[in-house]
């Protein structure tokens, strides 16, 4: 509604001024031989303002049309006067839109025509003050059009900056939301991996030991007691780790750090392999290279990979023996867990699983390392992990 008023009001004002003041101006020029204002003259005085209603949609065409109407008015012999008001408004509307080459050159051409030969043709000689005054008014008109043009350019630039800022803000919100979703996904995967590592290893040991205890309870009760003791130790350790993990989840990682140190370290192979040996697995270690103190997160990953690999041996290759190789180099820690072919027919596991190898691969990738798990030609199995050692560690 406001935009329509800006279009209609100047046209109405121009029509009122041109028609109302046109008669008086024409009467002034009538004594000098100008044509008396008749119906055609009034129509021409109204056509220009009427065309102004279309100046926003067709600014250049309206300017040329109003210019033609004005020239027709003057060519028919009517006197000078407010007929130029509609032409001024049309020029200002077209001057600040599009190229200047379509509107500005009309000003000097009109100036030359108004100075010569139009006055001579109409029999009105031009004096010095008319030449200077007309030049000054036309200069002000061009300056006004240029000022409106520059103001419009500033408004458009400000609007474009606001639009760009709004788009950037929306993109930033979308990026932040995506980052939050990715962070939540990583946290869920980390929790799932921790629960799997904590429970799968301990429950697998409990499953194996409980099978041994049931089998030896009547024939060799002392060995059954050893198996039950191992079950008690494994369940106690699992409960402690699950309790610590749940505490960190409830409190949030920002206030309470999640457990980062394993119960045993990769540098203490005897303590690391003790649960598997207690479960009856024949496993030995081979450590090469120059051992260094590893960062906690790397120590966690290495210990978990070894534990998960040995758990898989217990579950899927009963009666097999295993070798855990730990090689230290200046740039990486290499783990090799290899087991022989099982001496007994593998029995289906009674504990749920299936995420052990993917979890180990995720751990290795999180440290920019690699992990592979492949069967051997001798019906055994090998897990190999390459974990980079941060240089600042050394």
């Amino acid at each position: 509604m406001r935009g329509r008023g800006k279009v209609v009001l100047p046209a109405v004002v121009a029509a009122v001024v041109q028609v109302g003041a046109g008669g008086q101006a024409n009467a002034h020029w009538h004594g000098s031989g100008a044509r008396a204002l008749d119906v055609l003259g009034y129509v021409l005085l109204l056509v220009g303002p009427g065309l102004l209603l279309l100046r926003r949609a067709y600014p250049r065409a309206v300017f040329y049309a109003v210019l033609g109407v004005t020239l027709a008015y003057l060519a028919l012999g009517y006197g000078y006067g407010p007929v130029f008001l509609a032409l001024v408004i049309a020029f200002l509307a077209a001057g600040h839109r599009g190229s200047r080459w379509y509107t500005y050159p009309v000003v000097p051409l009109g100036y030359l025509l108004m100075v010569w030969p139009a006055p001579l043709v109409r029999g009105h000689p031009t004096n010095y003050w008319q030449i200077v005054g007309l030049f000054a008014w036309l200069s002000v008109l061009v300056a006004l059009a240029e000022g409106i043009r520059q103001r419009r350019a500033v408004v458009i630039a400000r609007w474009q900056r606001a639009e760009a800022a709004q788009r950037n803000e929306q993109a930033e919100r979308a990026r932040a939301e995506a980052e939050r979703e990715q962070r939540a996904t990583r946290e869920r995967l980390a929790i799932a991996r921790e629960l799997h590592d904590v429970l799968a290893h301990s429950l697998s040991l409990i499953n194996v030991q409980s099978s041994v205890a049931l089998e030896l309870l009547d024939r060799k009760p002392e060995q059954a007691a050893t198996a039950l003791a191992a079950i008690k130790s494994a369940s106690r350790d699992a409960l402690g780790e699950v309790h610590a993990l749940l505490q960190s989840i409830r409190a949030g990682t920002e206030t309470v750090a999640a457990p980062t140190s394993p119960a045993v370290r990769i540098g203490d192979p005897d303590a690391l392999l003790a649960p598997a040996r207690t479960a009856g697995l024949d496993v030995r270690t081979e450590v090469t290279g120059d051992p260094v103190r590893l960062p906690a997160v790397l120590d966690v990953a290495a210990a978990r990979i070894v534990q998960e690999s040995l758990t898989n041996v217990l579950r899927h290759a009963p009666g097999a023996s295993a070798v855990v190789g730990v090689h230290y180099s200046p740039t990486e820690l290499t783990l090799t867990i290899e087991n022989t072919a099982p001496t007994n027919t593998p029995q289906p596991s009674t504990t749920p699983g299936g995420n052990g190898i993917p979890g180990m691969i995720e751990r290795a990738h999180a440290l920019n390392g690699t992990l592979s798990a492949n069967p051997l030609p001798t019906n055994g199995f090998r897990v190999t992990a390459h974990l980079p050692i941060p240089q600042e560690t050394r």
Side-chain angles (χ1 to χ4, degrees):
M1 195 69 180
R2 182 180 300 177
R4 182 179 300 178
K6 291 182 178 180
V7 174
V8 175
L9 183 60
V12 172
V13 172
V16 171
V17 172
Q18 290 190 174
V19 173
Q24 298 179 1
N26 197 74
H28 170 74
W29 287 99
H30 184 66
S32 301
R35 178 177 175 177
L37 192 62
D38 52 14
V39 176
L40 179 59
Y42 280 110
V43 170
L44 292 176
L45 289 175
L46 290 174
V47 169
L51 291 172
L52 292 179
L53 297 175
L54 303 175
R55 69 184 185 278
R56 283 201 172 183
Y58 311 100
R60 193 187 307 167
V62 168
F63 170 63
Y64 291 148
V66 174
L67 178 61
V69 171
T70 305
L71 292 177
Y73 180 87
L74 297 177
L76 290 174
Y78 297 108
Y80 296 126
V83 66
F84 294 103
L85 180 58
L87 181 61
V88 169
I89 296 175
F91 173 78
L92 294 177
H96 74 278
R97 296 174 182 267
S99 174
R100 297 178 178 88
W101 290 102
Y102 295 102
T103 52
Y104 284 16
V106 176
V107 176
L109 291 177
Y111 175 74
L112 293 177
L113 290 176
M114 294 293 292
V115 173
W116 183 90
L120 296 180
V121 172
R122 296 175 62 91
H124 304 302
T126 305
N127 58 37
Y128 173 78
W129 293 108
Q130 289 175 334
I131 295 175
V132 174
L134 182 60
F135 178 81
W137 276 109
L138 292 179
S139 299
V140 171
L141 182 63
V142 173
L144 183 60
E146 189 64 21
I148 296 175
R149 185 185 187 92
Q150 296 301 324
R151 180 180 179 276
R152 182 173 183 268
V154 170
V155 171
I156 292 176
R158 187 179 303 160
W159 177 81
Q160 290 175 344
R161 287 195 299 269
E163 286 288 318
Q166 184 177 6
R167 288 194 299 268
N168 292 336
E169 184 180 357
Q170 292 175 351
E172 187 64 27
R173 285 199 298 267
R175 185 163 46 250
E177 183 65 24
E179 290 178 357
R180 283 195 295 269
E181 292 180 358
Q182 292 177 358
R183 186 164 56 249
T185 300
R186 288 194 298 268
E187 291 175 355
R188 287 194 297 269
L189 290 176
I191 292 171
R193 187 166 55 244
E194 289 293 335
L195 285 174
H196 177 272
D197 291 341
V198 169
L199 296 179
H201 176 69
S202 299
L203 292 179
S204 295
L205 292 180
I206 292 173
N207 180 58
V208 172
Q209 293 290 359
S210 60
S211 300
V212 173
L214 288 174
E215 184 177 349
L216 301 178
L217 185 60
D218 296 330
R219 296 185 292 108
K220 297 179 180 180
E222 65 283 356
Q223 293 185 12
T226 302
L228 292 174
I231 292 174
K232 179 181 180 181
S233 176
S235 60
R236 182 182 63 248
D237 294 340
L239 285 173
E241 293 194 43
V242 169
H243 180 70
L245 182 61
L246 291 178
Q247 275 190 330
S248 67
I249 294 173
R250 288 172 178 168
T253 55
E254 295 182 358
T255 56
V256 178
T260 57
S261 299
V264 291
R265 298 174 55 249
I266 194 67
D268 188 3
D270 291 334
L272 177 62
L273 304 181
R277 286 171 175 167
T278 302
L281 179 63
D282 181 13
V283 56
R284 59 186 178 88
T285 59
E286 294 179 355
V287 180
T288 58
D290 182 18
V292 297
R293 183 176 182 83
L294 302 173
V297 67
L298 180 57
D299 216 344
V300 170
R304 294 299 192 194
I305 289 173
V306 171
Q307 287 180 335
E308 180 61 31
S309 300
L310 296 180
T311 299
N312 289 339
V313 175
L314 285 170
R315 294 171 58 190
H316 304 295
S321 60
V323 178
V324 177
V326 182
H327 177 69
Y328 295 89
S329 73
T331 57
E332 72 175 15
L333 174 70
T334 302
L335 302 176
T336 304
I337 302 93
E338 182 177 329
N339 66 274
T340 61
T343 57
N344 301 327
T345 302
Q347 299 295 325
S349 175
T350 59
T351 58
N355 295 319
I357 292 178
M360 291 190 292
I361 294 176
E362 290 176 3
R363 283 190 179 276
H365 287 176
L367 297 173
N368 298 321
T370 59
L371 185 141
S372 61
N374 302 296
L376 298 175
T378 58
N379 293 329
F381 204 83
R382 176 186 296 150
V383 175
T384 304
H386 299 276
L387 307 177
I389 300 177
Q391 294 302 305
E392 59 270 17
T393 301
R394 304 189 64 86

